[in-house]
Amino acid sequence: MLNDWVEFEASTTEFLYGKVIEISERYVTVDTINDSICIEIDKVGQIPVTPKILKKNGFERYFEGYYKNPKELHISYNDNLGCWYISDSHDQYMHSDYITSFSAVHELQNILRTLGFNDLADNFKI
């Protein structure tokens, strides 16, 4: 999806990140810090979500998860499933309504857009 962050192979030893700015049947154009690069779709990969990435985007650590201020979103990591999950309502005892799970930045961006957090999704930081 446009504005999603992806990883791509720049050389046999180097991977770079960029934002998708154009998509065709076989290629994706990615905007990097220095340039725009056209890449075959099968060469584009996922960027795993990490606590560091969540913190860069304004999420704060709270008990077992991360919250976005105002505390409308709760993100936690499930060790048993090996993925992050997002929920919307919670209380001090961490009771929440499960929405969905994800593991990659672009998946989180798409979830944020679906929930109406377009500005956060489109301006997501890596």
Side-chain angles (χ1 to χ4, degrees):
M1 180 174 266
L2 296 178
N3 287 320
D4 281 357
W5 281 97
V6 295
E7 178 183 71
F8 60 94
E9 190 174 341
S11 67
T12 56
T13 60
E14 183 181 25
F15 286 88
L16 296 176
Y17 300 132
K19 259 187 168 180
V20 175
I21 57 172
E22 187 177 339
I23 303 171
S24 69
E25 283 185 40
R26 294 182 50 210
Y27 296 96
V28 173
T29 304
V30 177
D31 186 25
T32 66
I33 293 171
N34 300 319
D35 203 0
S36 294
I37 301 170
C38 189
I39 307 160
E40 291 180 45
I41 286 179
D42 62 348
K43 305 282 187 207
V44 175
Q46 302 180 2
I47 302 169
V49 174
T50 64
K52 183 177 178 180
I53 288 173
L54 291 175
K55 288 177 186 175
K56 279 185 180 180
N57 288 281
F59 285 86
E60 299 173 29
R61 182 86 170 132
Y62 186 75
F63 289 107
E64 296 292 321
Y66 292 85
Y67 289 88
K68 181 68 180 163
N69 204 6
K71 297 185 183 334
E72 297 172 328
L73 290 173
H74 172 228
I75 295 177
S76 294
Y77 189 78
N78 185 315
D79 289 320
N80 294 329
L81 298 176
C83 65
W84 293 89
Y85 66 93
I86 193 165
S87 52
D88 60 358
S89 64
H90 56 276
D91 60 26
Q92 64 184 2
Y93 303 106
M94 301 299 287
H95 297 113
S96 59
D97 296 327
Y98 170 80
I99 295 175
T100 191
S101 62
F102 59 93
S103 58
V105 169
H106 76 279
E107 294 170 330
L108 175 55
Q109 287 179 282
N110 292 331
I111 293 165
L112 292 170
R113 287 185 190 101
T114 301
L115 295 173
F117 295 93
N118 296 340
D119 191 50
L120 175 60
D122 291 342
N123 295 297
F124 210 77
K125 299 173 186 78
I126 297 296

